[in-house]
Amino acid sequence: QVQLVESGGGLGQTGDSLRLSCVASGLTFSLYTMGWFRQAPGKEREFVTRITWSGSSTDYIDSVKGRFTISRDNAKNTVYLQMNSLKPEDTAVYFCVAGLRGTTRWNYWGQGTQVTVSS
């Protein structure tokens, strides 16, 4: 079965950096656009960023642009989210997602990793 396993979350303070990792298995990694969503307490899940199979195209929501960087290593079936200059409003469970190339649907979701940022 397909698995997306996130890691790297934790507790940080305002201004800290964290790097999340997501290791995918059970799928042909190069066929998938990868991305990250997040869900803060009491709020709906929101899209954060995505990256195409080659890494040539990325997209970010405005609130993280310039602070977060998504990347992928296809040889390792891994996607990363480098988070710099963390803010309390970044506190959320972060989910790794995979969507088949040529579609607009996110097919697979990870279990999530908690990121907590204190002031």
PDB file of all heavy atoms in Angstrom, residues 84-111:
ATOM      1  N   ASN A  84      11.609  28.301   7.726  1.00  0.00           N
ATOM      2  CA  ASN A  84      12.447  29.285   8.397  1.00  0.00           C
ATOM      3  C   ASN A  84      11.584  30.404   8.960  1.00  0.00           C
ATOM      4  O   ASN A  84      10.446  30.595   8.560  1.00  0.00           O
ATOM      5  CB  ASN A  84      13.471  29.870   7.436  1.00  0.00           C
ATOM      6  CG  ASN A  84      14.450  28.852   6.914  1.00  0.00           C
ATOM      7  OD1 ASN A  84      14.776  27.882   7.593  1.00  0.00           O
ATOM      8  ND2 ASN A  84      14.941  29.068   5.695  1.00  0.00           N
ATOM      9  N   SER A  85      12.165  31.146   9.878  1.00  0.00           N
ATOM     10  CA  SER A  85      11.484  32.293  10.480  1.00  0.00           C
ATOM     11  C   SER A  85      10.089  31.933  10.958  1.00  0.00           C
ATOM     12  O   SER A  85       9.109  32.617  10.670  1.00  0.00           O
ATOM     13  CB  SER A  85      11.418  33.451   9.477  1.00  0.00           C
ATOM     14  OG  SER A  85      12.703  33.839   9.061  1.00  0.00           O
ATOM     15  N   LEU A  86      10.013  30.863  11.710  1.00  0.00           N
ATOM     16  CA  LEU A  86       8.720  30.355  12.148  1.00  0.00           C
ATOM     17  C   LEU A  86       7.980  31.370  12.998  1.00  0.00           C
ATOM     18  O   LEU A  86       8.579  32.122  13.777  1.00  0.00           O
ATOM     19  CB  LEU A  86       8.890  29.059  12.915  1.00  0.00           C
ATOM     20  CG  LEU A  86       9.169  27.823  12.058  1.00  0.00           C
ATOM     21  CD1 LEU A  86       9.634  26.668  12.932  1.00  0.00           C
ATOM     22  CD2 LEU A  86       7.923  27.426  11.269  1.00  0.00           C
ATOM     23  N   LYS A  87       6.675  31.353  12.843  1.00  0.00           N
ATOM     24  CA  LYS A  87       5.771  32.212  13.586  1.00  0.00           C
ATOM     25  C   LYS A  87       4.764  31.359  14.335  1.00  0.00           C
ATOM     26  O   LYS A  87       4.483  30.235  13.925  1.00  0.00           O
ATOM     27  CB  LYS A  87       5.024  33.156  12.630  1.00  0.00           C
ATOM     28  CG  LYS A  87       5.907  34.014  11.758  1.00  0.00           C
ATOM     29  CD  LYS A  87       5.072  34.807  10.760  1.00  0.00           C
ATOM     30  CE  LYS A  87       5.941  35.676   9.880  1.00  0.00           C
ATOM     31  NZ  LYS A  87       5.135  36.445   8.899  1.00  0.00           N
ATOM     32  N   PRO A  88       4.193  31.884  15.415  1.00  0.00           N
ATOM     33  CA  PRO A  88       3.172  31.109  16.133  1.00  0.00           C
ATOM     34  C   PRO A  88       2.024  30.657  15.239  1.00  0.00           C
ATOM     35  O   PRO A  88       1.470  29.572  15.463  1.00  0.00           O
ATOM     36  CB  PRO A  88       2.694  32.081  17.210  1.00  0.00           C
ATOM     37  CG  PRO A  88       3.880  32.934  17.481  1.00  0.00           C
ATOM     38  CD  PRO A  88       4.542  33.119  16.128  1.00  0.00           C
ATOM     39  N   GLU A  89       1.675  31.449  14.252  1.00  0.00           N
ATOM     40  CA  GLU A  89       0.588  31.075  13.363  1.00  0.00           C
ATOM     41  C   GLU A  89       0.930  29.916  12.436  1.00  0.00           C
ATOM     42  O   GLU A  89       0.061  29.406  11.726  1.00  0.00           O
ATOM     43  CB  GLU A  89       0.108  32.280  12.535  1.00  0.00           C
ATOM     44  CG  GLU A  89       1.220  33.028  11.834  1.00  0.00           C
ATOM     45  CD  GLU A  89       1.670  34.256  12.599  1.00  0.00           C
ATOM     46  OE1 GLU A  89       1.856  34.163  13.827  1.00  0.00           O
ATOM     47  OE2 GLU A  89       1.838  35.323  11.962  1.00  0.00           O
ATOM     48  N   ASP A  90       2.187  29.483  12.432  1.00  0.00           N
ATOM     49  CA  ASP A  90       2.569  28.283  11.705  1.00  0.00           C
ATOM     50  C   ASP A  90       2.251  27.011  12.477  1.00  0.00           C
ATOM     51  O   ASP A  90       2.396  25.911  11.937  1.00  0.00           O
ATOM     52  CB  ASP A  90       4.063  28.298  11.372  1.00  0.00           C
ATOM     53  CG  ASP A  90       4.452  29.428  10.439  1.00  0.00           C
ATOM     54  OD1 ASP A  90       3.695  29.709   9.488  1.00  0.00           O
ATOM     55  OD2 ASP A  90       5.522  30.026  10.659  1.00  0.00           O
ATOM     56  N   THR A  91       1.854  27.154  13.722  1.00  0.00           N
ATOM     57  CA  THR A  91       1.512  25.994  14.537  1.00  0.00           C
ATOM     58  C   THR A  91       0.369  25.219  13.901  1.00  0.00           C
ATOM     59  O   THR A  91      -0.705  25.760  13.653  1.00  0.00           O
ATOM     60  CB  THR A  91       1.127  26.428  15.952  1.00  0.00           C
ATOM     61  OG1 THR A  91       2.259  27.016  16.595  1.00  0.00           O
ATOM     62  CG2 THR A  91       0.649  25.243  16.773  1.00  0.00           C
ATOM     63  N   ALA A  92       0.617  23.951  13.639  1.00  0.00           N
ATOM     64  CA  ALA A  92      -0.369  23.120  12.957  1.00  0.00           C
ATOM     65  C   ALA A  92       0.170  21.708  12.842  1.00  0.00           C
ATOM     66  O   ALA A  92       1.354  21.459  13.074  1.00  0.00           O
ATOM     67  CB  ALA A  92      -0.672  23.661  11.555  1.00  0.00           C
ATOM     68  N   VAL A  93      -0.702  20.806  12.476  1.00  0.00           N
ATOM     69  CA  VAL A  93      -0.281  19.500  12.008  1.00  0.00           C
ATOM     70  C   VAL A  93      -0.031  19.618  10.515  1.00  0.00           C
ATOM     71  O   VAL A  93      -0.893  20.085   9.768  1.00  0.00           O
ATOM     72  CB  VAL A  93      -1.330  18.416  12.290  1.00  0.00           C
ATOM     73  CG1 VAL A  93      -0.885  17.077  11.711  1.00  0.00           C
ATOM     74  CG2 VAL A  93      -1.569  18.294  13.792  1.00  0.00           C
ATOM     75  N   TYR A  94       1.141  19.210  10.086  1.00  0.00           N
ATOM     76  CA  TYR A  94       1.528  19.306   8.689  1.00  0.00           C
ATOM     77  C   TYR A  94       1.413  17.948   8.027  1.00  0.00           C
ATOM     78  O   TYR A  94       1.944  16.955   8.526  1.00  0.00           O
ATOM     79  CB  TYR A  94       2.959  19.843   8.565  1.00  0.00           C
ATOM     80  CG  TYR A  94       3.042  21.324   8.804  1.00  0.00           C
ATOM     81  CD1 TYR A  94       2.905  21.848  10.079  1.00  0.00           C
ATOM     82  CD2 TYR A  94       3.237  22.211   7.745  1.00  0.00           C
ATOM     83  CE1 TYR A  94       2.951  23.216  10.300  1.00  0.00           C
ATOM     84  CE2 TYR A  94       3.290  23.575   7.960  1.00  0.00           C
ATOM     85  CZ  TYR A  94       3.150  24.073   9.234  1.00  0.00           C
ATOM     86  OH  TYR A  94       3.203  25.434   9.440  1.00  0.00           O
ATOM     87  N   PHE A  95       0.725  17.922   6.897  1.00  0.00           N
ATOM     88  CA  PHE A  95       0.455  16.692   6.169  1.00  0.00           C
ATOM     89  C   PHE A  95       1.167  16.686   4.828  1.00  0.00           C
ATOM     90  O   PHE A  95       1.071  17.650   4.064  1.00  0.00           O
ATOM     91  CB  PHE A  95      -1.044  16.526   5.910  1.00  0.00           C
ATOM     92  CG  PHE A  95      -1.879  16.417   7.148  1.00  0.00           C
ATOM     93  CD1 PHE A  95      -2.416  17.547   7.738  1.00  0.00           C
ATOM     94  CD2 PHE A  95      -2.131  15.183   7.714  1.00  0.00           C
ATOM     95  CE1 PHE A  95      -3.191  17.453   8.874  1.00  0.00           C
ATOM     96  CE2 PHE A  95      -2.911  15.069   8.858  1.00  0.00           C
ATOM     97  CZ  PHE A  95      -3.438  16.208   9.439  1.00  0.00           C
ATOM     98  N   CYS A  96       1.836  15.613   4.546  1.00  0.00           N
ATOM     99  CA  CYS A  96       2.413  15.369   3.234  1.00  0.00           C
ATOM    100  C   CYS A  96       1.338  14.802   2.319  1.00  0.00           C
ATOM    101  O   CYS A  96       0.545  13.953   2.741  1.00  0.00           O
ATOM    102  CB  CYS A  96       3.581  14.392   3.380  1.00  0.00           C
ATOM    103  SG  CYS A  96       4.383  13.914   1.853  1.00  0.00           S
ATOM    104  N   VAL A  97       1.306  15.274   1.079  1.00  0.00           N
ATOM    105  CA  VAL A  97       0.299  14.812   0.133  1.00  0.00           C
ATOM    106  C   VAL A  97       0.935  14.484  -1.206  1.00  0.00           C
ATOM    107  O   VAL A  97       1.974  15.038  -1.574  1.00  0.00           O
ATOM    108  CB  VAL A  97      -0.822  15.857  -0.073  1.00  0.00           C
ATOM    109  CG1 VAL A  97      -1.614  16.049   1.211  1.00  0.00           C
ATOM    110  CG2 VAL A  97      -0.256  17.191  -0.539  1.00  0.00           C
ATOM    111  N   ALA A  98       0.292  13.587  -1.942  1.00  0.00           N
ATOM    112  CA  ALA A  98       0.753  13.177  -3.263  1.00  0.00           C
ATOM    113  C   ALA A  98      -0.411  13.197  -4.228  1.00  0.00           C
ATOM    114  O   ALA A  98      -1.483  12.661  -3.939  1.00  0.00           O
ATOM    115  CB  ALA A  98       1.373  11.786  -3.213  1.00  0.00           C
ATOM    116  N   GLY A  99      -0.200  13.809  -5.392  1.00  0.00           N
ATOM    117  CA  GLY A  99      -1.207  13.866  -6.428  1.00  0.00           C
ATOM    118  C   GLY A  99      -0.652  13.408  -7.755  1.00  0.00           C
ATOM    119  O   GLY A  99       0.410  13.862  -8.180  1.00  0.00           O
ATOM    120  N   LEU A 100      -1.355  12.530  -8.420  1.00  0.00           N
ATOM    121  CA  LEU A 100      -0.891  11.980  -9.685  1.00  0.00           C
ATOM    122  C   LEU A 100      -0.764  13.077 -10.732  1.00  0.00           C
ATOM    123  O   LEU A 100      -1.655  13.920 -10.887  1.00  0.00           O
ATOM    124  CB  LEU A 100      -1.851  10.905 -10.174  1.00  0.00           C
ATOM    125  CG  LEU A 100      -1.428  10.081 -11.390  1.00  0.00           C
ATOM    126  CD1 LEU A 100      -0.201   9.234 -11.048  1.00  0.00           C
ATOM    127  CD2 LEU A 100      -2.580   9.203 -11.848  1.00  0.00           C
ATOM    128  N   ARG A 101       0.357  13.066 -11.438  1.00  0.00           N
ATOM    129  CA  ARG A 101       0.579  14.029 -12.515  1.00  0.00           C
ATOM    130  C   ARG A 101      -0.557  13.984 -13.526  1.00  0.00           C
ATOM    131  O   ARG A 101      -1.065  12.914 -13.858  1.00  0.00           O
ATOM    132  CB  ARG A 101       1.903  13.737 -13.221  1.00  0.00           C
ATOM    133  CG  ARG A 101       3.129  14.066 -12.418  1.00  0.00           C
ATOM    134  CD  ARG A 101       4.380  13.548 -13.110  1.00  0.00           C
ATOM    135  NE  ARG A 101       4.539  14.094 -14.450  1.00  0.00           N
ATOM    136  CZ  ARG A 101       5.394  13.637 -15.354  1.00  0.00           C
ATOM    137  NH1 ARG A 101       6.188  12.615 -15.063  1.00  0.00           N
ATOM    138  NH2 ARG A 101       5.465  14.202 -16.547  1.00  0.00           N
ATOM    139  N   GLY A 102      -0.964  15.143 -13.987  1.00  0.00           N
ATOM    140  CA  GLY A 102      -2.047  15.233 -14.949  1.00  0.00           C
ATOM    141  C   GLY A 102      -3.427  15.339 -14.338  1.00  0.00           C
ATOM    142  O   GLY A 102      -4.411  15.428 -15.064  1.00  0.00           O
ATOM    143  N   THR A 103      -3.502  15.322 -13.024  1.00  0.00           N
ATOM    144  CA  THR A 103      -4.769  15.468 -12.322  1.00  0.00           C
ATOM    145  C   THR A 103      -4.676  16.638 -11.353  1.00  0.00           C
ATOM    146  O   THR A 103      -3.607  17.200 -11.122  1.00  0.00           O
ATOM    147  CB  THR A 103      -5.149  14.200 -11.547  1.00  0.00           C
ATOM    148  OG1 THR A 103      -4.340  14.089 -10.367  1.00  0.00           O
ATOM    149  CG2 THR A 103      -4.954  12.965 -12.411  1.00  0.00           C
ATOM    150  N   THR A 104      -5.810  17.007 -10.790  1.00  0.00           N
ATOM    151  CA  THR A 104      -5.861  18.055  -9.787  1.00  0.00           C
ATOM    152  C   THR A 104      -6.230  17.511  -8.413  1.00  0.00           C
ATOM    153  O   THR A 104      -6.525  18.276  -7.503  1.00  0.00           O
ATOM    154  CB  THR A 104      -6.865  19.144 -10.190  1.00  0.00           C
ATOM    155  OG1 THR A 104      -8.165  18.568 -10.365  1.00  0.00           O
ATOM    156  CG2 THR A 104      -6.430  19.809 -11.489  1.00  0.00           C
ATOM    157  N   ARG A 105      -6.205  16.222  -8.269  1.00  0.00           N
ATOM    158  CA  ARG A 105      -6.624  15.579  -7.031  1.00  0.00           C
ATOM    159  C   ARG A 105      -5.422  15.121  -6.214  1.00  0.00           C
ATOM    160  O   ARG A 105      -4.449  14.603  -6.762  1.00  0.00           O
ATOM    161  CB  ARG A 105      -7.513  14.378  -7.363  1.00  0.00           C
ATOM    162  CG  ARG A 105      -8.057  13.640  -6.165  1.00  0.00           C
ATOM    163  CD  ARG A 105      -9.086  12.607  -6.593  1.00  0.00           C
ATOM    164  NE  ARG A 105      -9.604  11.867  -5.467  1.00  0.00           N
ATOM    165  CZ  ARG A 105      -9.139  10.691  -5.058  1.00  0.00           C
ATOM    166  NH1 ARG A 105      -8.132  10.113  -5.710  1.00  0.00           N
ATOM    167  NH2 ARG A 105      -9.676  10.094  -4.021  1.00  0.00           N
ATOM    168  N   TRP A 106      -5.520  15.325  -4.913  1.00  0.00           N
ATOM    169  CA  TRP A 106      -4.527  14.777  -3.997  1.00  0.00           C
ATOM    170  C   TRP A 106      -4.954  13.363  -3.635  1.00  0.00           C
ATOM    171  O   TRP A 106      -5.953  13.156  -2.939  1.00  0.00           O
ATOM    172  CB  TRP A 106      -4.385  15.644  -2.755  1.00  0.00           C
ATOM    173  CG  TRP A 106      -3.875  17.020  -3.066  1.00  0.00           C
ATOM    174  CD1 TRP A 106      -4.562  18.185  -3.005  1.00  0.00           C
ATOM    175  CD2 TRP A 106      -2.550  17.351  -3.485  1.00  0.00           C
ATOM    176  NE1 TRP A 106      -3.752  19.232  -3.366  1.00  0.00           N
ATOM    177  CE2 TRP A 106      -2.507  18.753  -3.667  1.00  0.00           C
ATOM    178  CE3 TRP A 106      -1.380  16.620  -3.736  1.00  0.00           C
ATOM    179  CZ2 TRP A 106      -1.353  19.429  -4.086  1.00  0.00           C
ATOM    180  CZ3 TRP A 106      -0.239  17.289  -4.151  1.00  0.00           C
ATOM    181  CH2 TRP A 106      -0.235  18.674  -4.320  1.00  0.00           C
ATOM    182  N   ASN A 107      -4.201  12.401  -4.099  1.00  0.00           N
ATOM    183  CA  ASN A 107      -4.587  11.003  -3.982  1.00  0.00           C
ATOM    184  C   ASN A 107      -4.256  10.390  -2.634  1.00  0.00           C
ATOM    185  O   ASN A 107      -4.982   9.512  -2.154  1.00  0.00           O
ATOM    186  CB  ASN A 107      -3.914  10.177  -5.077  1.00  0.00           C
ATOM    187  CG  ASN A 107      -4.261  10.654  -6.466  1.00  0.00           C
ATOM    188  OD1 ASN A 107      -3.478  11.390  -7.083  1.00  0.00           O
ATOM    189  ND2 ASN A 107      -5.422  10.263  -6.966  1.00  0.00           N
ATOM    190  N   TYR A 108      -3.155  10.815  -2.044  1.00  0.00           N
ATOM    191  CA  TYR A 108      -2.671  10.188  -0.826  1.00  0.00           C
ATOM    192  C   TYR A 108      -2.242  11.232   0.181  1.00  0.00           C
ATOM    193  O   TYR A 108      -1.719  12.291  -0.169  1.00  0.00           O
ATOM    194  CB  TYR A 108      -1.497   9.248  -1.132  1.00  0.00           C
ATOM    195  CG  TYR A 108      -1.832   8.194  -2.150  1.00  0.00           C
ATOM    196  CD1 TYR A 108      -1.336   8.277  -3.446  1.00  0.00           C
ATOM    197  CD2 TYR A 108      -2.660   7.126  -1.816  1.00  0.00           C
ATOM    198  CE1 TYR A 108      -1.648   7.314  -4.387  1.00  0.00           C
ATOM    199  CE2 TYR A 108      -2.984   6.161  -2.758  1.00  0.00           C
ATOM    200  CZ  TYR A 108      -2.474   6.263  -4.040  1.00  0.00           C
ATOM    201  OH  TYR A 108      -2.793   5.307  -4.961  1.00  0.00           O
ATOM    202  N   TRP A 109      -2.455  10.876   1.447  1.00  0.00           N
ATOM    203  CA  TRP A 109      -2.147  11.756   2.556  1.00  0.00           C
ATOM    204  C   TRP A 109      -1.342  11.015   3.608  1.00  0.00           C
ATOM    205  O   TRP A 109      -1.594   9.838   3.880  1.00  0.00           O
ATOM    206  CB  TRP A 109      -3.432  12.277   3.214  1.00  0.00           C
ATOM    207  CG  TRP A 109      -4.247  13.173   2.355  1.00  0.00           C
ATOM    208  CD1 TRP A 109      -5.004  12.817   1.278  1.00  0.00           C
ATOM    209  CD2 TRP A 109      -4.413  14.581   2.508  1.00  0.00           C
ATOM    210  NE1 TRP A 109      -5.625  13.920   0.745  1.00  0.00           N
ATOM    211  CE2 TRP A 109      -5.280  15.015   1.487  1.00  0.00           C
ATOM    212  CE3 TRP A 109      -3.916  15.517   3.410  1.00  0.00           C
ATOM    213  CZ2 TRP A 109      -5.664  16.352   1.344  1.00  0.00           C
ATOM    214  CZ3 TRP A 109      -4.291  16.843   3.273  1.00  0.00           C
ATOM    215  CH2 TRP A 109      -5.155  17.244   2.250  1.00  0.00           C
ATOM    216  N   GLY A 110      -0.396  11.705   4.195  1.00  0.00           N
ATOM    217  CA  GLY A 110       0.299  11.162   5.340  1.00  0.00           C
ATOM    218  C   GLY A 110      -0.497  11.362   6.611  1.00  0.00           C
ATOM    219  O   GLY A 110      -1.573  11.968   6.619  1.00  0.00           O
ATOM    220  N   GLN A 111       0.031  10.855   7.706  1.00  0.00           N
ATOM    221  CA  GLN A 111      -0.646  10.952   8.992  1.00  0.00           C
ATOM    222  C   GLN A 111      -0.445  12.288   9.674  1.00  0.00           C
ATOM    223  O   GLN A 111      -1.209  12.649  10.567  1.00  0.00           O
ATOM    224  CB  GLN A 111      -0.184   9.828   9.916  1.00  0.00           C
ATOM    225  CG  GLN A 111      -0.620   8.443   9.486  1.00  0.00           C
ATOM    226  CD  GLN A 111      -2.125   8.303   9.463  1.00  0.00           C
ATOM    227  OE1 GLN A 111      -2.723   8.071   8.423  1.00  0.00           O
ATOM    228  NE2 GLN A 111      -2.756   8.453  10.617  1.00  0.00           N
TER     229      GLN A 111
END
